[in-house]
Amino acid sequence: MKIQYGLISADSHIALDRDAFTKRLSKAVWGDRIPQVVETIEKDKPVERWIVNGRIRRRAVCNCPAAMDGPMPRNKYPDRWEEVPRKAFVPQERLKALDEDRIDAEVLFPNDPGGFYDYEDPAFELACVQAYNDALSEWHDGSDRFIPLAMVPLLGDTEARVAEVKRAVSKGHRGIVMLAEPSSTVPGFKHISDPYWYPLWATCEELGVPVHIHASAGLGDKLNVPRWEGYTPRQFHSAFTVPCGAWPAQLVPNLIFSGVLGRFPRLKWVFAETGIGSINYVREACDYEWERRRLWTEGFLQRPSEIVTRQIFVNFWFERSGIQMRHAIGIDNIMWESDYPHISSTYPQSWDFVLRTVEGVPPEEQKKMLWENAARLYGVM
Amino acid sequence: MIEGSPSVEQACVLISADEHVVEHPGVWTERMSKSRWGNRIPHTEQQSDGTEHWTVDGEILPLPGVALTGALLHDPCREPQRWVDVPKLSYVPDERLKAMDAGGVNFAVLYPTVAGLAGETFARLDDPELELACVQAYNDWLIEEWASRSQRFVPQCIVPIYPAEASVAEIKRAVKKGHKGVIYPAIPMQIRNVPHINDPQYDLIWATCQELGVPLCLHAGSSKGVQIPIHPGMSPRVAAALQAVLRPASAVFDVANILFSRILMRFPNLKVIFAESTVAWGAFLLEYADHQFQQDRCEGYELKPSEMFTRQCFLTTWYNRVRTDIGYLGADNILWATNFPLANSTWPDVRHFVERGLSGVPEDERHKILWQNAAKLYQIS
């Protein structure tokens, strides 16, 4: 891939066509359980929604407000498939949107429908995950400007999980997407630091693909201040979203002190859509506790901040304060994200926002954060 | 000591805004009616192996020792298991003054230990009369044995958390006796079945604090509901270190909730202290709150979240490298502390961490952080 613009989005979201699952899953085997778009009634109005395993997903038929028309910040969501902009879900149109926004490449995270572990059927989950991963592989086959991340089946056994990661990576995927702390999201799932997951980490390390934790990654409504009835929907959204930005301040220390990062020292972890401004806390707090408690006596021979430098990557989009603290975070660990086509996206004025945010930063440091770190991490050069 | 920075030396006053008293085994048994409360009174019990633990109302308190005094132990990770092993420097007021002298600390603002680092222990009781009796015994003891001994101890009361009338009655009683701050758990509805903290039912408490001119003190760690669980397989020493990192990180949720709660708007003269928060994630959180607030077009606030914070809130620092030059979190909103005698305290290397943490901060701002802000809040002259 040739770098033309000097900007890579390390966190964007796929939007799949409405037939993405119906054309890949066997109708004979799965019948109406296959994820598809159907008409339904909401607030006395006919709307279209995704239905998965017979359960209607009560949210926009495509989460793509940034691709919708209108002034920023755009917060309109399509209610019918015909309203979904083609520049969200048609690869060739999406490439044009990338050019319009002067972005070289984008790392693709999931979009609704996802979370196929919710349906408690390992075979069904695997079929959906494989269809999803295949659809993204096809995007990548069409253009290497799309950098796909694989979903991982969580319900089945370890062999099936590892096999799917290997299959997806062989078809172009450059990472996996994971729950932040599985046992907090789904009762019965193993804790993120449990040895149960070691084969998955070992596989990713061996294949050279990072693990991705996106936003609250399953913790959002599990570990949070309970919802207050007195909020308007907008107030609630802000109150609920903002503290989730600091989840890396808890998740990374856990990965350090559980020994997971030390056991898999070549495995990289990416924390997306949680900003960068809590990693300086992680480095400072973990080093402090490590020193004060002399944790080398517990086998932690390496300084925690060195582990962070080696293995942890984070993305910025709005943070002026984070950019000012970039050296306390790690200049080689920071990437940029557009979040297209989600609501936080800066499309089609990304460069305006980028330049405002990195104003005053030396050009070689800008370059690292805007594309070089991502290009290196995902091996796109 | 760093060359060329004599200013801290010249600042003859250090006010540690977050320290913990250690409650001795007689605090409650000497003050609560044995005939009325019997074995429900908080007390220590000896186990068959000779170790002791605290019990309240038949429940063993989830403390890793009979006191938390890691800063005074050779191995900060092994809390004392028998009262005879608890260092006198932690619980004898005269000895404590010597510890303060050794660290160069002039005044210490006091939070509890057995009653909960965030004053949450008795909030768990579902008998309001027992809760009140335990709370009053603590508040009386702190005045009788500590505040009366020396003005260098700044006492803060704990309160029955609900209903607000009960909280207010105790606040008034305690402040009259000399208490200078009100400790309250930040997310009470995750401790006991009480209304959401944002509910106007609590307004009476905030109004009383505002009227009496005593700060509301929300200490980190009141609720496990905003912390990722620690894997049971982790060694206790490492788990304690991780817990010491997770606790300040979880205060992000306490701060974000207060910012959006509209409590600060309704009580513009109320001061809120987030003790043991660190300042490392402060700028990020405030910038993110403003960003999300604007993106969501949050209605119903007169000021942006960062503006309300600047007007009314405080974070505490102990080992952090303080940056006041990046905006959002300024010297007017930072309180310095030692966290003595917890394992994460900077004691006895207090001076080293003051110099290291404030080396880049202008002299007038150092004075604010080290003592002026606290002197104003607690009317110390």
Side-chain angles (χ1 to χ4, degrees):
Chain A
M1 191 182 74
K2 192 171 143 279
I3 297 295
Q4 188 183 355
Y5 304 115
L7 190 59
I8 292 176
S9 168
D11 173 13
S12 293
H13 293 267
I14 190 77
L16 290 178
D17 206 340
R18 61 184 301 170
D19 66 357
F21 295 93
T22 47
K23 79 177 184 195
R24 290 185 177 87
L25 268 73
S26 159
K27 175 89 177 160
V29 176
W30 301 112
D32 286 341
R33 298 175 69 188
I34 300 173
Q36 55 199 285
V37 173
V38 296
E39 182 155 307
T40 178
I41 302 290
E42 258 181 43
K43 294 177 188 158
D44 300 328
K45 207 175 91 187
V47 294
E48 287 178 315
R49 293 286 180 259
W50 282 91
I51 183 168
V52 182
N53 200 35
R55 212 187 294 168
I56 291 178
R57 297 182 74 84
R58 294 286 173 196
R59 49 180 87 169
V61 69
C62 183
N63 183 352
C64 60
M68 304 286 278
D69 291 333
M72 295 177 79
R74 294 164 298 251
N75 54 4
K76 217 173 128 251
Y77 291 80
D79 268 335
R80 305 191 65 83
W81 191 261
E82 66 201 23
E83 298 168 39
V84 180
R86 291 170 59 78
K87 63 185 173 186
F89 71 94
V90 178
Q92 286 310 313
E93 299 298 318
R94 182 123 170 183
L95 287 174
K96 287 183 203 163
L98 280 177
D99 285 329
E100 184 192 359
D101 211 12
R102 300 172 60 77
I103 295 173
D104 289 294
E106 56 179 4
V107 177
L108 295 173
F109 283 79
N111 212 339
D112 206 50
F116 300 114
Y117 55 84
D118 260 352
Y119 306 96
E120 297 175 7
D121 176 346
F124 178 69
E125 184 201 25
L126 182 60
C128 291
V129 164
Q130 289 190 327
Y132 174 86
N133 289 341
D134 286 346
L136 265 70
S137 291
E138 285 177 26
W139 278 53
H140 177 72
D141 290 345
S143 169
D144 61 2
R145 295 173 69 187
F146 298 124
I147 304 166
L149 303 179
M151 274 192 195
V152 175
L154 297 174
L155 297 171
D157 57 28
T158 299
E159 287 71 29
R161 186 173 309 118
V162 165
E164 179 55 18
V165 172
K166 288 180 175 168
R167 195 187 73 88
V169 171
S170 76
K171 296 180 79 178
H173 284 266
R174 294 303 306 150
I176 67 163
V177 181
M178 189 61 191
L179 294 174
E181 203 297 272
S183 75
S184 294
T185 302
V186 180
F189 279 11
K190 297 287 187 188
H191 192 281
I192 189 71
S193 10
D194 197 278
Y196 173 81
W197 302 108
Y198 287 178
L200 180 61
W201 312 147
T203 303
C204 291
E205 182 180 49
E206 194 187 309
L207 296 172
V209 295
V211 179
H212 295 74
I213 309 293
H214 183 272
S216 65
L219 297 179
D221 56 354
K222 306 294 179 186
L223 295 174
N224 208 327
V225 177
R227 182 174 190 150
W228 180 43
E229 296 305 320
Y231 278 138
T232 67
R234 287 173 183 190
Q235 291 168 346
F236 169 70
H237 186 259
S238 279
F240 181 84
T241 305
V242 168
C244 292
W247 271 124
Q250 296 194 37
L251 298 170
V252 179
N254 178 63
L255 291 174
I256 293 169
F257 289 127
S258 65
V260 169
L261 295 180
R263 183 179 285 264
F264 304 98
R266 288 175 295 122
L267 179 61
K268 318 289 189 200
W269 294 69
V270 180
F271 291 80
E273 211 176 327
T274 37
I276 63 178
S278 59
I279 295 302
N280 50 310
Y281 171 75
V282 172
R283 297 174 64 109
E284 203 178 14
C286 292
D287 277 1
Y288 178 74
E289 296 299 338
W290 180 77
E291 277 172 24
R292 299 296 279 179
R293 295 167 197 259
R294 303 187 284 274
L295 289 185
W296 47 91
T297 61
E298 289 278 327
F300 290 91
L301 300 183
Q302 197 166 15
R303 183 173 285 276
S305 57
E306 290 171 7
I307 298 175
V308 172
T309 301
R310 185 179 67 198
Q311 292 178 261
I312 302 297
F313 291 79
V314 286
N315 304 337
F316 78 94
W317 72 103
F318 64 88
E319 290 170 74
R320 193 65 206 135
S321 63
I323 294 298
Q324 287 174 276
M325 292 187 290
R326 63 193 176 279
H327 294 293
I329 293 164
I331 192 70
D332 295 315
N333 303 67
I334 299 171
M335 305 186 286
W336 175 78
E337 64 168 88
S338 102
D339 203 31
Y340 182 82
H342 280 182
I343 189 163
S344 297
S345 176
T346 46
Y347 167 87
Q349 298 151 24
S350 290
W351 272 100
D352 295 349
F353 286 87
V354 166
L355 291 176
R356 209 177 304 155
T357 310
V358 301
E359 195 189 338
V361 175
E364 65 276 14
E365 292 183 5
Q366 288 193 16
K367 219 162 105 182
K368 283 183 174 197
M369 298 189 289
L370 298 186
W371 69 272
E372 279 184 349
N373 292 340
R376 193 179 75 246
L377 181 64
Y378 296 106
V380 298
M381 290 286 288
Chain B
M1 199 154 296
I2 296 161
E3 289 291 316
S5 56
S7 53
V8 177
E9 281 291 87
Q10 287 160 9
C12 54
V13 184
L14 282 182
I15 301 178
S16 172
D18 180 7
E19 303 212 347
H20 293 266
V21 282
V22 170
E23 300 93 329
H24 63 70
V27 170
W28 288 277
T29 48
E30 288 164 9
R31 286 172 182 79
M32 288 169 69
S33 157
K34 177 85 181 163
S35 61
R36 174 152 188 212
W37 299 111
N39 223 24
R40 303 174 74 191
I41 298 173
H43 64 283
T44 57
E45 268 176 16
Q46 196 171 50
Q47 291 162 292
S48 52
D49 62 356
T51 65
E52 291 153 27
H53 56 220
W54 280 91
T55 79
V56 179
D57 199 18
E59 300 277 337
I60 296 174
L61 289 186
L63 291 171
V66 73
L68 301 180
T69 60
L72 292 163
L73 306 174
H74 173 64
D75 180 352
C77 304
R78 290 186 204 283
E79 298 294 354
Q81 301 300 313
R82 300 175 311 165
W83 184 255
V84 293
D85 298 330
V86 179
K88 285 195 167 56
L89 279 178
S90 69
Y91 72 91
V92 177
D94 283 351
E95 296 292 313
R96 182 81 174 229
L97 290 170
K98 290 180 198 161
M100 288 164 64
D101 289 339
V105 176
N106 299 83
F107 295 89
V109 179
L110 301 176
Y111 288 79
T113 297
V114 175
L117 297 180
E120 75 279 16
T121 297
F122 307 125
R124 295 193 203 105
L125 301 172
D126 47 22
D127 178 344
E129 290 183 41
L130 178 61
E131 183 192 15
L132 179 64
C134 293
V135 161
Q136 290 190 327
Y138 174 88
N139 290 341
D140 290 347
W141 164 74
L142 199 59
I143 295 295
E144 289 160 16
E145 292 192 11
W146 289 74
S148 308
R149 178 67 197 80
S150 168
Q151 291 189 342
R152 293 171 65 189
F153 298 124
V154 181
Q156 304 191 108
C157 65
I158 56 174
V159 295
I161 60 165
Y162 185 82
E165 289 75 13
S167 317
V168 164
E170 180 57 16
I171 291 170
K172 287 184 172 161
R173 193 188 75 90
V175 169
K176 206 169 170 185
K177 286 190 153 211
H179 284 275
K180 293 187 158 188
V182 174
I183 298 165
Y184 196 88
I187 317 177
M189 58 285 188
Q190 281 180 338
I191 297 175
R192 195 166 92 205
N193 184 21
V194 295
H196 198 288
I197 188 168
N198 299 356
D199 195 291
Q201 282 191 59
Y202 293 96
D203 278 1
L204 212 49
I205 302 177
W206 323 140
T208 303
C209 291
Q210 179 174 266
E211 191 188 310
L212 297 176
V214 288
L216 176 67
C217 303
L218 310 179
H219 190 286
S222 73
S223 168
K224 285 280 196 291
V226 291
Q227 292 179 38
I228 58 165
I230 293 178
H231 191 281
M234 192 174 275
S235 94
R237 299 181 76 229
V238 180
L242 177 57
Q243 174 60 34
V245 178
L246 299 185
R247 194 164 61 230
S250 74
V252 166
F253 288 89
D254 304 343
V255 178
N257 183 66
I258 289 293
L259 291 179
F260 288 101
S261 69
R262 300 208 297 265
I263 292 171
L264 299 177
M265 218 180 73
R266 289 200 297 274
F267 302 95
N269 294 317
L270 176 70
K271 304 293 184 218
V272 184
I273 296 167
F274 296 94
E276 209 188 327
S277 56
T278 81
V279 294
W281 43 259
F284 166 63
L285 177 74
L286 294 170
E287 185 174 10
Y288 194 11
D290 280 0
H291 169 84
Q292 197 64 45
F293 174 87
Q294 279 160 339
Q295 184 181 294
D296 285 336
R297 299 176 204 175
C298 268
E299 65 285 86
Y301 302 88
E302 291 147 14
L303 297 171
K304 286 191 286 189
S306 69
E307 292 169 339
M308 285 189 280
F309 183 93
T310 300
R311 186 175 67 185
Q312 296 176 255
C313 299
F314 300 84
L315 300 184
T316 67
T317 181
W318 60 110
Y319 62 86
N320 300 117
R321 289 184 167 85
V322 177
R323 294 277 306 266
T324 55
D325 58 329
I326 50 179
Y328 294 96
L329 180 63
D332 289 332
N333 301 89
I334 299 173
L335 302 174
W336 172 82
T338 67
N339 284 12
F340 186 82
L342 299 186
N344 67 4
S345 172
T346 52
W347 194 94
D349 310 309
V350 173
R351 284 283 167 174
H352 163 74
F353 283 101
V354 166
E355 291 298 338
R356 200 190 75 165
L358 299 179
S359 64
V361 178
E363 183 170 340
D364 58 325
E365 296 191 343
R366 289 181 178 209
H367 285 278
K368 287 180 177 182
I369 293 167
L370 291 172
W371 65 277
Q372 286 174 345
N373 293 339
K376 212 184 288 178
L377 281 166
Y378 294 107
Q379 289 150 26
I380 299 170
S381 52

